[in-house]
Amino acid sequence: MQDVHARIAAAAAKVSRDPQEITLLAVSKTFDAIAVMAAIETGQRDFGENYLQEALDKIEEVRRLQNSGNGAQAVLKWHFIGPIQSNKTRPLAENFDWVHAIDREKIAFRLSEQRPAGLPPLDVCIQVNISGEASKSGVAPAELSALAHAIAGMPRLRLRGLMAIPEAAADTAAQRAPFRALRGLYDTLRAEGLPLDTLSIGMSADLEAAIAEGATIVRIGSAIFGQRTDGSPHATA
Ligand SMILES: *Cc1c(COP(=O)(O)O)cnc(C)c1O
């Protein structure tokens, strides 16, 4: 965990950014509640999950451990970063603080309808298919503006920004290109009047490139928790 904080600080310093404006999202998928509790002990508060049932079980278990006094009583933020099935939106709306990978209006509409009245609006990002690969999720750049304006008008959602998972690239220069393209789309939406403040980009292998291009949330799994050993897919899942 300290290594990752040091990488973020170094990457921010290199481009004269304040590391405080970059949130470290600890991606705890495939790791258990005990691993989450250990991260909480170090001050970590934001956790990212990809698989709904695993996430719901873990959120409940962490809450139980916190309530039993077995660790910090910290207020946590749970982020759903995986692909979203339209018949699974209700548990997302009820149990998460953030949803990162919205790529169609129908999903957003359901999340807004299902967000409980007692909770604040759900913070959301739109996933953009920035590398243009046919097999990957995310809205096409040409369709982004219409989707963003539609979501911005939904009462129980707060559109915070954009998220992307570019295809892997060998060196920092190649990693930066798709992030820069995403940043351009983000700037355009802001110029259109949308009050966005979030770029959810950067993982263990490319967080430096993402920070150089303006990341405000980096989603880091293996560099914090170690390699995932259960054969679960890499970030492109
Ligand atoms: C798994 C995952 C991550 C973290 O990937 P690492 O390479 O382990 O840091 C980030 N974002 C998404 C969407 C993921 O699925």
Side-chain angles (χ1 to χ4, degrees), residues 27 29 50 81-82 163 165 202-205 219-223 228 233-237:
V27 177
K29 65 181 176 200
N50 277 56
I81 62 175
M163 178 269 209
I165 311 172
M203 307 186 295
S204 296
R219 309 181 309 267
I220 309 299
S222 50
R228 291 178 290 275
H234 184 59
T236 53

Side-chain angles (χ1 to χ4, degrees), residues 128-209:
V128 181
N129 185 354
I130 202 68
S131 301
E133 296 150 280
S135 61
K136 286 211 184 132
S137 45
V139 66
E143 287 150 30
L144 172 62
S145 179
L147 179 61
H149 286 276
I151 292 176
M154 295 182 185
R156 300 293 293 142
L157 302 184
R158 195 151 64 118
L159 180 61
R160 300 292 299 269
L162 304 180
M163 178 269 209
I165 311 172
E167 64 185 305
D171 56 79
T172 308
Q175 289 172 345
R176 282 180 67 159
F179 292 145
R180 191 173 318 129
L182 189 75
R183 172 59 184 264
L185 296 169
Y186 170 86
D187 288 340
T188 300
L189 293 176
R190 281 169 51 99
E192 291 172 6
L194 296 178
L196 308 183
D197 64 3
T198 300
L199 275 172
S200 169
I201 46 175
M203 307 186 295
S204 296
D206 59 11
L207 76 86
E208 286 82 4

